[in-house]
Amino acid sequence: MVDTLGVAVVGFGWMGRVHTQAYARVLHHYPHLALRPELVSVAEEVPGRAEEAAAQFGFASTTRDWREVAADPRVQAVSVTAPNFLHREIGVAMAEAGKHLWIEKPVGLGTEDARAVADAVAAAGVQGAVGFNYRNAPAVEAARDLIASGGIGRITHARIRLFSDYAAHPEGALTWRYERARGGSGVLGDLASHGVDLARFLLGDITALTADTAIFLPERARPAGATAGHSRAAGGELGPVENEDYVNCLLRFASGARGVLEACRVSVGEQNNYGFEVHGTEGAVFWDFRRMNELGVGRGAAYQDQPVSTVYVGPGQGEFGAFQPGAANAMGYDDLKVIEAYRFLRSVAEGVPHGATLADAVHSAAVLDAMARSAGNGAWVTVDAPA
């Protein structure tokens, strides 16, 4: 018998919609899951948006005040997809109210925010999951297995890239994302946080780094009303962009490997160019999000002029078999969130974590804070290991 779990979504922009769709789909792909999510409540302060969500997806109730969700006894688990500056307050309140928590990265404005939410989750004895979705790609999990097994030898160096054009248009609206007080860091928290998580997931802890950041579009127009996603605001009053558009970073790992991480939100000509190249003493593995279900793998004894083959992931690798029956059938971005929902709900059902946790968010935030310090002083800095 499948038990019902009352869930709520706080913040119904694009990511709130993605979480909701994941809840709606999860039993289609994981019919033996012990919990069936029931859409109880949606909270969104923009007038009319929660009602639209309820009409489309069937939430039982709506509110403009997330505190009503925390007080609602029908709600047992909450997705927090609100802006970054609200993550700590909402996340802590939901945990203290005994709600299991699926929260989007970067979990606040820095390490202290992420740690506060992690501590609240631990103290309440609830489960906590974080939206580091790219690690859920079956090809990424296959790459991790290859690396961990020694399939490409001892890891020597890696490059992680996250280039996008979502903020490249000069008429892009000056939303909360570009403000320190509400968005925190810019491309660090948005894209580089995923890069840090991928680096740790594949290669282990980062111990030291040096970074450089830049703002390439220093002013944007203020929007006239509520915004969703990355809207434009031509002709509005100009205001300053307060956080970085670009970061590059040299990394040192605890294993002795070296790395390069580069991220940019204003890369004209780049759409979701996310990926990594990992090199070892006996081979290499390559992944590009735009070809999400493929790996480039080169290994053997040739060393020089060693060929690289394209490997298509299939059933038996990660969660691929829950979506497609055979290799080279495509999966997409939203499928990664369904996997995330499954692992969150499984964590709740079993009482043990599956997938990315609040501890991973704290580790990522510590590396991002180190990047900011290094960019400020121009020096190598040691990454503070989270307690």
Side-chain angles (χ1 to χ4, degrees):
M1 181 176 178
V2 177
D3 292 329
T4 297
L5 185 77
V7 302
V9 176
V10 176
F12 205 80
W14 170 68
M15 188 53 69
R17 181 177 294 273
V18 172
H19 276 232
T20 302
Q21 291 170 169
Y23 286 129
R25 291 178 53 199
V26 67
L27 284 178
H28 298 170
H29 300 279
Y30 299 96
H32 303 298
L33 185 62
L35 290 174
R36 177 175 62 83
E38 180 181 2
L39 299 176
V40 170
S41 182
V42 56
E44 171 56 61
E45 65 177 12
V46 176
R49 192 179 287 174
E51 289 74 17
E52 291 175 6
Q56 181 174 2
F57 294 103
F59 286 98
S61 60
T62 67
T63 179
R64 292 181 63 183
D65 187 350
W66 61 262
R67 294 168 185 83
E68 293 184 8
V69 172
D72 191 336
R74 301 172 301 165
V75 176
Q76 298 158 287
V78 179
S79 281
V80 177
T81 56
N84 298 349
F85 71 99
L86 295 171
H87 285 186
R88 177 173 181 165
E89 183 182 10
I90 297 175
V92 169
M94 294 302 173
E96 290 178 344
K99 319 293 188 188
H100 302 286
L101 188 67
W102 178 12
I103 188 168
E104 273 305 313
K105 56 85 209 167
V107 190
L109 304 182
T111 305
E112 292 308 311
D113 283 359
R115 183 178 286 113
V117 178
D119 289 347
V121 164
V126 296
Q127 293 298 313
V130 179
F132 289 126
N133 44 270
Y134 298 109
R135 64 157 63 189
N136 297 328
V140 172
E141 296 191 311
R144 187 193 197 201
D145 291 343
L146 178 65
I147 292 165
S149 70
I152 59 173
R154 175 177 53 83
I155 302 305
T156 54
H157 61 102
R159 185 169 76 99
I160 302 99
R161 70 185 186 282
L162 299 106
F163 298 144
S164 184
D165 64 357
Y166 70 78
H169 202 290
E171 294 179 359
L174 186 68
T175 65
W176 61 267
R177 295 179 182 278
Y178 304 100
E179 299 175 4
R180 284 285 179 193
R182 296 195 296 165
S185 61
V187 79
L188 287 182
D190 192 18
L191 295 181
S193 59
H194 281 300
V196 170
D197 185 67
L198 283 173
R200 288 189 62 247
F201 184 70
L202 294 168
L203 305 175
D205 285 341
I206 297 164
T207 58
L209 58 83
T210 183
D212 184 34
T213 62
I215 298 174
F216 296 137
L217 294 177
E219 290 186 320
R220 294 179 181 272
R222 300 185 187 281
T227 61
H230 305 290
S231 57
R232 296 181 188 175
E237 177 189 358
L238 293 178
V241 172
E242 299 174 349
N243 50 32
E244 70 288 333
D245 291 325
Y246 171 83
V247 61
N248 65 62
C249 186
L250 300 179
L251 307 171
R252 292 176 181 166
F253 292 88
S255 66
R258 299 298 195 261
V260 178
L261 189 154
E262 191 176 15
C264 186
R265 64 188 181 187
V266 297
S267 297
V268 176
E270 300 281 13
Q271 297 87 41
N272 298 329
N273 181 359
Y274 310 152
F276 57 75
E277 301 97 45
V278 179
H279 297 267
T281 54
E282 298 173 16
V285 59
F286 310 89
W287 180 71
D288 187 324
F289 169 67
R290 298 165 300 178
R291 304 175 70 91
M292 192 178 82
N293 306 290
E294 302 176 15
L295 283 178
V297 179
R299 57 178 176 163
Y303 297 99
Q304 185 178 1
D305 299 326
Q306 185 157 283
V308 174
S309 300
T310 297
V311 176
Y312 298 100
V313 296
Q317 293 170 303
E319 297 292 334
F320 188 92
F323 296 84
Q324 298 294 349
N329 285 291
M331 290 176 59
Y333 175 90
D334 284 11
D335 296 331
L336 302 184
K337 285 300 189 184
V338 175
I339 295 171
E340 209 168 283
Y342 161 66
R343 289 174 171 167
F344 172 51
L345 295 170
R346 184 181 172 194
S347 299
V348 173
E350 298 178 5
V352 294
H354 296 277
T357 66
L358 270 300
D360 293 309
V362 175
H363 277 278
S364 176
V367 175
L368 298 178
D369 283 353
M371 288 183 188
R373 292 199 308 274
S374 176
N377 63 26
W380 278 90
V381 300
T382 299
V383 176
D384 297 327

